[in-house]
Amino acid sequence: GPVPDNYTKFAKRKGDTISIEKSNIFGLYENSLKTFIGICKAWNIKPVLMTQVILNPNETTLIKELPEKFDFIMPERPLSDFTMLSILYAFHETFNDIIRKTAKQEGVQLIDLKKRVPANDHQYIYDLYHYNDEGSKLVASIIAEELIAYFDNKLDSNLLSN
């Protein structure tokens, strides 16, 4: 059958040199979150931000600190490549920090799944970042619990102010 667009885009990148500038990527991500929040508020929608869970690395030799600017060659097998995994883990933590910071700055609900879902083994995650059935159940219960508490608190606040 036909090859999905995403696969074709990704496949073209294998072996290509990719230039990374962290501050540019992180700035674009933060601006995107703020744009999302602004659109939600403009339409009177209550945005909820959530951090993302990733399986904790067993690899203690991963690169902990990446330079501001660097080039790397997209590997044939990205999820088993040392450099790619280092980038993935380093960026993941920073993206979660940006989500936390932006939620606080913008005064929107944050559900910090990274702090609530154990990710030391495959009990809840079947690969690096996709939930298995048990993980999906756990995340659904966390989200439901947090949203109920959030909206109950909002209702209580509105009743007290009237």
Side-chain angles (χ1 to χ4, degrees), residues 4 14-16 56 70 84 97 103 106 133 137:
K14 291 178 184 176
D16 289 352
N56 289 335
F70 61 94
M84 187 69 188
D97 290 342
E106 298 291 323
D133 289 349
K137 290 176 196 173

Side-chain angles (χ1 to χ4, degrees), residues 2-22:
V3 177
D5 285 344
N6 287 344
Y7 178 82
T8 304
K9 288 177 192 173
F10 177 74
K12 288 180 186 175
R13 301 305 309 234
K14 291 178 184 176
D16 289 352
T17 298
I18 299 173
S19 296
I20 301 289
E21 187 172 341
K22 291 189 323 186

Side-chain angles (χ1 to χ4, degrees), residues 101-121:
K101 180 181 87 171
T102 303
K104 185 174 183 175
Q105 286 175 342
E106 298 291 323
V108 300
Q109 174 70 13
L110 170 70
I111 300 175
D112 201 338
L113 294 173
K114 175 67 176 162
K115 291 184 177 175
R116 303 239 355 233
V117 177
N120 294 321
D121 57 31

Side-chain angles (χ1 to χ4, degrees), residues 91-107:
F91 276 37
H92 180 266
E93 287 305 316
T94 303
F95 286 145
N96 277 341
D97 290 342
I98 291 169
I99 292 167
R100 291 180 189 105
K101 180 181 87 171
T102 303
K104 185 174 183 175
Q105 286 175 342
E106 298 291 323

Side-chain angles (χ1 to χ4, degrees), residues 53-56 117-136 139:
V53 178
I54 192 169
L55 189 67
N56 289 335
V117 177
N120 294 321
D121 57 31
H122 291 280
Q123 180 180 358
Y124 298 109
I125 302 167
Y126 75 85
D127 56 11
L128 287 179
Y129 40 75
H130 293 103
Y131 299 112
N132 59 25
D133 289 349
E134 290 306 308
S136 294
V139 168

